[in-house]
Amino acid sequence: MLRIAIQKSGRLFEDSVALLRDAGISFGSSPNRTLRTQASNFPLEIIFLRDDDIPEYVEGNVVDAGIVGENVLLEKQKTVRCIERLGFGNCRMSIALPRNTRYEGPQSLDNLRIATSYPGILESFLNKQNLQAEIHEISGAVEIAPSLGLADAIFDIVGTGSTLLANGLREVETVLESEALLIVNPSLDSEKQEILDRLLFRIHANRNAKNHRYILMNVPNHRLSEIVSIIPGMKSPTVLPLAAPGWSSLHSVVPEGIFWDVLERLKGAGAEGILVVPIERMIL
Ligand code: ATP
Ligand code: ZN
């Protein structure tokens, strides 16, 4: 049995649940009533926690694995192994100043009072930049600190930037780009490691599927070699004869990021009846 901790409620909750469900794992998820639940079809126990507690629980072997924001992991400085960047919970951590304060680069932060709930990450940034600043640790509503006269600047998570704007602040320095991570205890026994590998196999199959499209098209045989050269397939594309003489059906897998570009070129080269199909799972 592998124990994994996910956020009980908040910005990472839904995506964490979806990650496990898409991996074919069935479990009840009503963390208001229960703090732990066992999957019915996979040797996994899911524990619902506050995100801030997850790195410590993973380090201390209370749970074997956890899903947590990189920002929280960096702040907590716990000894865990990060094995996967999960591609959700994206945000950045930035320094912001009142709109009218001049900013000419990091040296403008020297000797300011900066309010934050992430003193560790801020301190290491200031040290790297050789800056002296007074760090005011507060646990929430950081963005109102400057208007209350508590601080000259803030260091906080920025999602869209609208909260900063509403508080008359301007983002001047991005310190960290963060996303959700899958972290594990560094000394899992072989049984747990095996379950983790099975989970990772499923996560990868889903991610590969999301990042690719299956394409099929009809191609006149005399254009075949030109068209094959356009397709950046996984391996060589599949070519099958059509009932109509002189034509073939060509199948391949194309990365999501470039398939529009590839489609235009295929069409230009004489491909017809092009179909683009989502892929359910993909194992490389
Ligand atoms: P908890 O009750 O578990 O302590 P929280 O209030 O600390 O929750 P949330 O606001 O739910 O935390 O954010 C959890 C994580 O989501 C953050 O640590 C960060 O990694 C990520 N995140 C992504 N976008 C944002 C955003 N716009 N604002 C805040 N966090 C974000
Ligand atoms: Zn939290």
Side-chain angles (χ1 to χ4, degrees):
M1 178 76 64
L2 188 80
R3 269 189 176 171
I4 188 169
I6 66 173
Q7 194 187 20
K8 181 172 154 54
S9 67
R11 289 186 155 93
L12 300 180
F13 171 73
E14 276 177 26
D15 286 326
S16 302
V17 168
L19 181 87
L20 299 176
R21 291 246 161 89
D22 290 348
I25 298 170
S26 304
F27 56 97
S29 69
S30 46
N32 291 334
R33 280 185 286 128
T34 152
L35 292 177
R36 58 204 281 184
T37 179
Q38 207 163 308
S40 59
N41 58 354
F42 196 80
L44 189 72
E45 185 178 24
I46 299 126
I47 316 282
F48 301 98
L49 297 174
R50 282 201 60 197
D51 65 347
D52 313 67
D53 296 332
I54 291 176
E56 188 177 336
Y57 279 39
V58 173
E59 182 189 61
N61 249 325
V62 178
V63 295
D64 306 305
I67 295 176
V68 70
E70 191 173 5
N71 53 322
V72 172
L73 182 63
L74 281 174
E75 183 62 32
K76 302 289 176 188
Q77 292 288 321
K78 300 292 176 192
T79 312
V80 298
R81 200 152 58 91
C82 166
I83 52 166
E84 199 69 30
R85 305 183 71 82
L86 296 172
F88 60 81
N90 294 69
C91 59
R92 55 188 191 274
M93 297 213 62
S94 296
I95 294 172
L97 292 173
R99 213 176 2 243
N100 299 325
T101 306
R102 273 182 43 185
Y103 187 74
E104 288 152 355
Q107 70 280 3
S108 299
L109 304 171
D110 220 5
N111 300 314
L112 297 189
R113 295 168 305 160
I114 309 178
T116 187
S117 8
Y118 291 84
I121 297 175
L122 178 58
E123 193 182 353
S124 73
F125 170 78
L126 294 170
N127 288 343
K128 246 183 248 153
Q129 301 280 340
N130 260 323
L131 297 172
Q132 302 292 321
E134 211 178 293
I135 300 176
H136 281 252
E137 183 176 355
I138 48 180
S139 59
V142 169
E143 59 284 347
I144 63 168
S147 64
L148 293 177
L150 261 173
D152 308 305
I154 68 160
F155 172 60
D156 204 5
I157 296 177
V158 183
T160 58
S162 57
T163 310
L164 293 183
L165 209 63
N167 285 282
L169 298 169
R170 176 168 66 103
E171 190 177 354
V172 294
E173 202 69 51
T174 302
V175 173
L176 173 73
E177 305 269 1
S178 173
E179 68 184 276
L181 307 176
L182 178 59
I183 58 172
V184 299
N185 183 282
S187 47
L188 295 184
D189 64 30
S190 60
E191 183 213 326
K192 289 176 186 295
Q193 185 62 47
E194 201 174 299
I195 301 169
L196 180 68
D197 289 344
R198 287 177 62 201
L199 178 62
L200 280 174
F201 175 82
R202 296 178 181 202
I203 290 173
H204 293 158
N206 284 338
R207 174 173 328 138
N208 291 333
K210 247 179 229 146
N211 291 340
H212 291 85
R213 295 286 183 277
Y214 192 76
I215 58 172
L216 328 83
M217 72 209 79
N218 295 335
V219 177
N221 287 344
H222 66 278
R223 287 281 172 80
L224 211 50
S225 57
E226 186 191 345
I227 287 180
V228 166
S229 73
I230 294 173
I231 300 178
M234 290 206 295
K235 285 197 182 119
S236 160
T238 307
V239 180
L240 301 166
L242 286 188
W247 285 80
S248 296
S249 167
L250 197 150
H251 302 201
S252 193
V253 170
V254 174
E256 151 79 12
I258 59 165
F259 87 82
W260 282 115
D261 185 48
V262 170
L263 282 188
E264 286 162 11
R265 293 172 57 208
L266 290 172
K267 194 162 181 301
E272 292 182 9
I274 306 173
L275 296 181
V276 180
V277 185
I279 299 172
E280 187 89 10
R281 303 284 187 269
M282 176 166 157
I283 292 99
L284 289 176

